[in-house]
Coordinates of all heavy atoms in Angstrom, one line a residue:
L329 N 34.1 2.1 3.8 CA 33.4 2.2 5.1 C 33.6 1.0 5.9 O 33.2 -0.1 5.4 CB 31.9 2.4 4.9 CG 31.4 3.8 4.4 CD1 29.9 3.7 4.1 CD2 31.7 4.8 5.4
P330 N 34.1 1.1 7.1 CA 34.2 -0.1 7.9 C 32.9 -0.7 8.3 O 32.7 -1.9 8.4 CB 35.0 0.3 9.2 CG 34.9 1.8 9.2 CD 34.7 2.2 7.8
Q331 N 31.9 0.1 8.5 CA 30.6 -0.3 8.9 C 29.6 -0.8 7.8 O 28.6 -1.3 8.1 CB 29.9 0.8 9.7 CG 29.5 2.1 9.0 CD 30.6 3.1 8.9 OE1 31.7 2.8 8.6 NE2 30.3 4.3 9.2
L332 N 30.1 -0.6 6.6 CA 29.2 -1.1 5.5 C 30.1 -1.7 4.4 O 30.7 -0.9 3.6 CB 28.3 0.0 5.0 CG 27.0 -0.3 4.2 CD1 27.3 -0.6 2.8 CD2 26.3 -1.4 4.9
N333 N 30.2 -3.0 4.3 CA 31.1 -3.7 3.4 C 30.4 -4.1 2.2 O 29.5 -5.0 2.2 CB 31.7 -4.9 4.2 CG 32.5 -4.4 5.4 OD1 33.7 -4.2 5.3 ND2 31.8 -4.3 6.5
T334 N 30.7 -3.5 1.1 CA 30.1 -3.8 -0.2 C 31.0 -4.8 -1.0 O 32.1 -4.4 -1.3 CB 29.8 -2.5 -1.0 OG1 29.2 -1.6 -0.2 CG2 28.8 -2.8 -2.2
V335 N 30.5 -6.0 -1.2 CA 31.3 -7.0 -1.9 C 30.6 -7.5 -3.1 O 29.4 -7.5 -3.3 CB 31.6 -8.2 -0.9 CG1 32.4 -7.7 0.3 CG2 30.3 -8.9 -0.5
V336 N 31.4 -8.0 -4.1 CA 30.9 -8.5 -5.3 C 30.3 -9.9 -5.1 O 31.0 -10.8 -4.4 CB 32.1 -8.7 -6.4 CG1 31.5 -9.2 -7.7 CG2 32.8 -7.4 -6.5
I337 N 29.1 -10.2 -5.5 CA 28.5 -11.5 -5.4 C 29.3 -12.4 -6.4 O 29.4 -12.1 -7.6 CB 27.0 -11.5 -5.8 CG1 26.3 -10.5 -4.9 CG2 26.5 -12.9 -5.8 CD1 24.8 -10.3 -5.3
P338 N 29.9 -13.5 -5.9 CA 30.7 -14.4 -6.7 C 29.9 -14.9 -7.9 O 28.7 -15.1 -7.9 CB 31.1 -15.6 -5.8 CG 30.9 -15.0 -4.4 CD 29.8 -14.0 -4.5
A339 N 30.6 -15.1 -9.0 CA 30.0 -15.5 -10.3 C 29.3 -16.8 -10.1 O 29.7 -17.7 -9.4 CB 31.1 -15.7 -11.4
G340 N 28.1 -16.9 -10.7 CA 27.3 -18.1 -10.7 C 26.5 -18.3 -9.4 O 25.8 -19.3 -9.2
V341 N 26.6 -17.4 -8.5 CA 25.9 -17.5 -7.2 C 24.5 -16.8 -7.3 O 24.4 -15.7 -7.8 CB 26.7 -16.9 -6.0 CG1 25.9 -16.8 -4.8 CG2 28.0 -17.8 -5.8
D342 N 23.5 -17.5 -6.8 CA 22.2 -17.0 -6.8 C 22.0 -16.0 -5.6 O 21.8 -16.5 -4.5 CB 21.1 -18.1 -6.8 CG 19.7 -17.6 -6.9 OD1 19.4 -16.5 -6.5 OD2 18.8 -18.4 -7.3
D343 N 22.0 -14.7 -5.9 CA 21.9 -13.7 -4.9 C 20.8 -13.9 -3.9 O 21.0 -14.1 -2.7 CB 21.7 -12.3 -5.6 CG 21.4 -11.2 -4.6 OD1 21.7 -11.3 -3.5 OD2 20.8 -10.2 -5.1
A344 N 19.5 -14.0 -4.4 CA 18.4 -14.1 -3.5 C 18.4 -15.4 -2.7 O 18.1 -15.5 -1.5 CB 17.1 -14.0 -4.3
A345 N 18.8 -16.5 -3.4 CA 18.8 -17.8 -2.7 C 19.8 -17.8 -1.5 O 19.5 -18.4 -0.5 CB 19.2 -18.9 -3.7
V346 N 20.9 -17.2 -1.7 CA 21.9 -17.2 -0.6 C 21.4 -16.4 0.5 O 21.5 -16.8 1.7 CB 23.3 -16.7 -1.1 CG1 24.2 -16.4 0.0 CG2 24.0 -17.7 -2.1
R347 N 20.9 -15.2 0.2 CA 20.4 -14.4 1.3 C 19.3 -15.0 2.1 O 19.1 -14.9 3.3 CB 20.1 -13.0 0.8 CG 21.3 -12.1 0.6 CD 21.0 -10.7 0.2 NE 20.3 -10.6 -1.1 CZ 19.0 -10.3 -1.3 NH1 18.3 -10.1 -0.2 NH2 18.5 -10.3 -2.5
N348 N 18.4 -15.7 1.3 CA 17.3 -16.4 1.9 C 17.8 -17.5 2.8 O 17.3 -17.7 3.9 CB 16.4 -17.0 0.8 CG 15.1 -17.5 1.4 OD1 14.5 -16.9 2.3 ND2 14.7 -18.7 1.0
Q349 N 18.8 -18.3 2.4 CA 19.3 -19.4 3.2 C 20.0 -18.8 4.5 O 19.9 -19.4 5.5 CB 20.3 -20.2 2.4 CG 20.6 -21.6 3.2 CD 21.5 -22.5 2.4 OE1 21.5 -22.5 1.1 NE2 22.2 -23.3 3.0
L350 N 20.7 -17.7 4.3 CA 21.4 -17.1 5.5 C 20.3 -16.8 6.6 O 20.5 -17.0 7.8 CB 22.1 -15.8 5.1 CG 23.4 -16.0 4.2 CD1 24.0 -14.6 3.9 CD2 24.4 -16.9 4.9
L351 N 19.2 -16.3 6.1 CA 18.1 -15.9 7.0 C 17.4 -17.1 7.6 O 17.2 -17.1 8.8 CB 17.0 -15.0 6.2 CG 16.1 -14.2 7.0 CD1 16.8 -13.1 7.7 CD2 15.0 -13.6 6.0
Q352 N 17.1 -18.1 6.7 CA 16.4 -19.3 7.2 C 17.2 -20.2 8.1 O 16.8 -20.6 9.2 CB 15.9 -20.1 6.0 CG 14.9 -19.4 5.2 CD 13.7 -18.8 5.9 OE1 13.3 -19.3 6.9 NE2 13.3 -17.6 5.4
T353 N 18.5 -20.4 7.7 CA 19.3 -21.3 8.5 C 20.1 -20.7 9.6 O 20.3 -21.3 10.7 CB 20.4 -22.0 7.5 OG1 19.7 -22.4 6.4 CG2 21.1 -23.2 8.2
Y354 N 20.5 -19.4 9.4 CA 21.4 -18.8 10.4 C 20.7 -17.6 11.1 O 21.3 -16.9 11.9 CB 22.7 -18.4 9.8 CG 23.4 -19.5 9.1 CD1 23.2 -19.8 7.8 CD2 24.3 -20.3 9.9 CE1 23.9 -20.9 7.2 CE2 25.0 -21.3 9.3 CZ 24.8 -21.6 7.9 OH 25.5 -22.7 7.3
N355 N 19.5 -17.3 10.7 CA 18.8 -16.1 11.3 C 19.7 -14.8 11.0 O 19.7 -13.9 11.8 CB 18.5 -16.2 12.8 CG 17.1 -16.8 13.0 OD1 16.1 -16.3 12.4 ND2 17.0 -17.8 13.8
L356 N 20.4 -14.9 9.9 CA 21.3 -13.8 9.6 C 20.8 -13.0 8.4 O 20.6 -13.5 7.4 CB 22.7 -14.4 9.3 CG 23.8 -13.4 8.8 CD1 24.1 -12.3 9.9 CD2 25.0 -14.1 8.4
E357 N 20.7 -11.6 8.6 CA 20.3 -10.8 7.5 C 21.6 -10.0 7.0 O 22.2 -9.3 7.8 CB 19.3 -9.8 8.0 CG 18.8 -8.8 6.9 CD 17.8 -7.8 7.3 OE1 16.7 -8.1 7.5 OE2 18.2 -6.6 7.5
I358 N 21.8 -10.1 5.7 CA 22.8 -9.2 5.1 C 22.0 -8.4 4.0 O 20.9 -8.8 3.7 CB 24.0 -9.9 4.5 CG1 23.6 -10.8 3.3 CG2 24.8 -10.7 5.6 CD1 24.8 -11.3 2.5
G359 N 22.6 -7.3 3.6 CA 21.9 -6.5 2.6 C 22.1 -6.8 1.2 O 23.2 -7.3 0.8
A360 N 21.0 -6.6 0.4 CA 21.1 -6.8 -1.1 C 21.7 -5.5 -1.6 O 21.8 -4.5 -1.0 CB 19.7 -7.0 -1.6
G361 N 22.1 -5.6 -2.9 CA 22.6 -4.4 -3.6 C 21.4 -3.5 -3.9 O 20.3 -3.9 -4.0
L362 N 21.7 -2.2 -3.9 CA 20.6 -1.2 -4.1 C 20.9 -0.5 -5.5 O 22.1 -0.3 -5.8 CB 20.7 -0.2 -3.0 CG 19.4 0.6 -2.6 CD1 18.3 -0.4 -2.3 CD2 19.7 1.5 -1.4
G363 N 19.9 -0.1 -6.2 CA 20.1 0.7 -7.4 C 21.0 0.0 -8.4 O 20.8 -1.1 -8.8
A364 N 22.0 0.7 -8.8 CA 23.0 0.2 -9.8 C 23.7 -1.1 -9.3 O 24.2 -1.8 -10.2 CB 24.0 1.3 -10.1
F365 N 23.7 -1.3 -8.0 CA 24.3 -2.5 -7.5 C 23.4 -3.7 -7.3 O 23.8 -4.7 -6.7 CB 25.1 -2.2 -6.2 CG 26.3 -1.4 -6.4 CD1 27.0 -0.9 -5.3 CD2 26.9 -1.2 -7.7 CE1 28.2 -0.1 -5.5 CE2 28.0 -0.4 -7.9 CZ 28.7 0.1 -6.8
A366 N 22.1 -3.5 -7.6 CA 21.1 -4.6 -7.4 C 21.6 -5.9 -8.1 O 21.9 -5.8 -9.3 CB 19.8 -4.1 -7.8
G367 N 21.6 -7.0 -7.4 CA 22.0 -8.3 -8.0 C 23.5 -8.5 -8.2 O 23.9 -9.5 -8.6

Side-chain angles (χ1 to χ4, degrees):
L329 285 174
Q331 66 271 50
L332 203 277
N333 298 267
T334 313
V335 298
V336 183
I337 299 174
V341 167
D342 183 336
D343 171 23
V346 168
R347 282 185 296 105
N348 189 43
Q349 194 176 332
L350 293 178
L351 197 65
Q352 297 310 324
T353 311
Y354 302 91
N355 268 310
L356 172 66
E357 178 184 285
I358 65 167
L362 205 59
F365 287 171

